[in-house]
Amino acid sequence: MMLRPTLMLHDPLLDYVKTTPHFKTLLAKAGFHSVGHVLSHFPRTYEDHSNFSTLAKADIKNIVTVWGTLHDIEKIQTKRGHKLIKARFVDEEGGEAEAVWFNQQYIASQLKENRKMVISGKLRHEYGTLSFMSPKHEYPGRDGKLLHFGKVVPVYPEVDKLSTDWFRSKILIVKAAITEYIEVLPEEVVKRKQLMPRAEAIKELHFPTKVQELERAKKRMAFEEMYLLQHAQLSKKLKHQREQLGQGVTIPL
């Protein structure tokens, strides 16, 4: 039995990520060539999708996330030529709502009837009927877990048509390479400032476990950025001083 080689940061991204020729072009244009390139694309913020509701208890003023199943999925073309997908959503308590997706025909191939799923969006209550308009949805993976819901999730800066959901799914594939990140701060500084180790912080940014740990990871990376910036500026200054005073003079950093 051959062991799979360790996933490295410099490995070509497309050796691990399957995507279309169109997205390959977008990746090249945006400079995402290696595994490390995509892992260095850090979230800009986070959304708390850890709380679930039922239709009966849903707050229609806010986005709600509900477990349930879809039924009676159909494609419809309106008299004005608009294409939509409509389905009946039934939550775990038997509550019902209409789910409608406008001009998103590709979603039809993703939707499956009578299969447990999560649906998330704002509810409308009109004429006694609840409805989701173009909601997000997700089916659990083989392990029963969700990628986009049931936890605090990262929101990535979108690049062209590379969406935050796209980055979440692809970064999960190359997650193992995070252990290859080396420490760039002096060990003494990490200990004195009680900073989270670099690889651990990067993993927490992409896959938050707890709010407190996420804040520690943010603090670590912010400190690193400022430390390296000041170090570079001081090094440049000292180099200039050496050139002015002569090579024989040693100025401690």
Side-chain angles (χ1 to χ4, degrees):
M1 178 179 176
M2 293 184 62
L3 294 176
R4 186 175 180 179
T6 302
L7 185 60
M8 305 295 288
L9 295 172
H10 62 258
D11 286 345
L13 180 62
L14 295 179
D15 284 357
Y16 300 92
V17 171
K18 294 181 180 180
T19 190
T20 64
H22 175 64
F23 277 94
K24 289 179 181 179
T25 301
L26 293 178
L27 285 168
K29 182 180 176 183
F32 294 107
H33 303 290
S34 69
V35 169
H37 287 152
V38 76
L39 285 175
S40 296
H41 187 66
F42 296 126
R44 61 176 176 82
T45 188
Y46 294 83
E47 292 179 350
D48 188 352
H49 290 171
S50 58
N51 297 319
F52 294 98
S53 180
T54 61
L55 292 174
K57 297 177 181 178
D59 180 0
I60 62 174
K61 295 180 181 179
N62 298 303
I63 292 175
V64 295
T65 306
V66 188
W67 280 101
T69 52
L70 287 180
H71 305 269
D72 307 325
I73 301 171
E74 58 179 329
K75 294 182 181 179
I76 299 173
Q77 182 162 337
T78 67
K79 294 179 180 179
R80 296 184 177 182
H82 298 300
K83 296 180 179 180
L84 57 89
I85 300 167
K86 185 182 291 187
R88 182 168 55 90
F89 177 77
V90 181
D91 73 6
E92 294 181 308
E93 292 185 346
E96 294 192 15
E98 187 177 68
V100 182
W101 290 268
F102 295 95
N103 297 318
Q104 300 178 64
Q105 295 300 295
Y106 66 92
I107 285 182
S109 62
Q110 302 174 4
L111 302 178
K112 299 174 177 60
E113 295 199 18
N114 301 307
R115 182 177 165 186
K116 190 175 181 180
M117 70 180 302
V118 163
I119 200 168
S120 181
K122 275 197 172 185
L123 277 168
R124 292 173 59 179
H125 188 215
E126 295 181 335
Y127 308 109
T129 301
L130 287 173
S131 57
F132 284 103
M133 295 298 164
S134 297
K136 292 184 177 182
H137 69 282
E138 183 180 1
Y139 292 94
R142 293 181 179 179
D143 58 1
K145 296 181 179 179
L146 297 167
L147 176 61
H148 305 295
F149 300 100
K151 53 193 169 185
V152 175
V153 297
V155 178
Y156 294 92
E158 297 193 359
V159 180
D160 207 339
K161 292 188 178 181
L162 300 172
S163 68
T164 187
D165 286 356
W166 189 93
F167 280 110
R168 274 191 217 131
S169 62
K170 304 311 178 189
I171 287 174
L172 178 64
I173 295 172
V174 296
K175 177 182 180 180
I178 294 176
T179 58
E180 297 301 308
Y181 277 100
I182 62 173
E183 186 58 73
V184 295
L185 297 178
E187 182 179 354
E188 183 272 333
V189 173
V190 174
K191 288 182 178 179
R192 176 162 49 85
K193 293 292 184 179
Q194 298 182 332
L195 298 173
M196 183 180 284
R198 189 169 190 242
E200 185 180 333
I202 291 173
K203 182 178 179 181
E204 189 68 29
L205 290 178
H206 289 302
F207 304 97
T209 55
K210 298 179 181 178
V211 174
Q212 297 89 336
E213 292 301 292
L214 177 57
E215 290 305 314
R216 283 188 65 212
K218 290 180 182 178
K219 178 183 176 181
R220 151 68 210 223
M221 298 308 291
F223 181 90
E224 176 184 308
E225 183 178 1
M226 292 303 299
Y227 182 94
L228 296 179
L229 179 62
Q230 291 183 13
H231 188 280
Q233 291 175 337
L234 184 56
S235 296
K236 185 177 180 180
K237 179 180 179 181
L238 291 175
K239 180 181 178 182
H240 177 70
Q241 289 177 347
R242 289 192 182 101
E243 292 173 349
Q244 294 294 316
L245 297 173
Q247 293 297 324
V249 180
T250 301
I251 304 174
L253 183 63

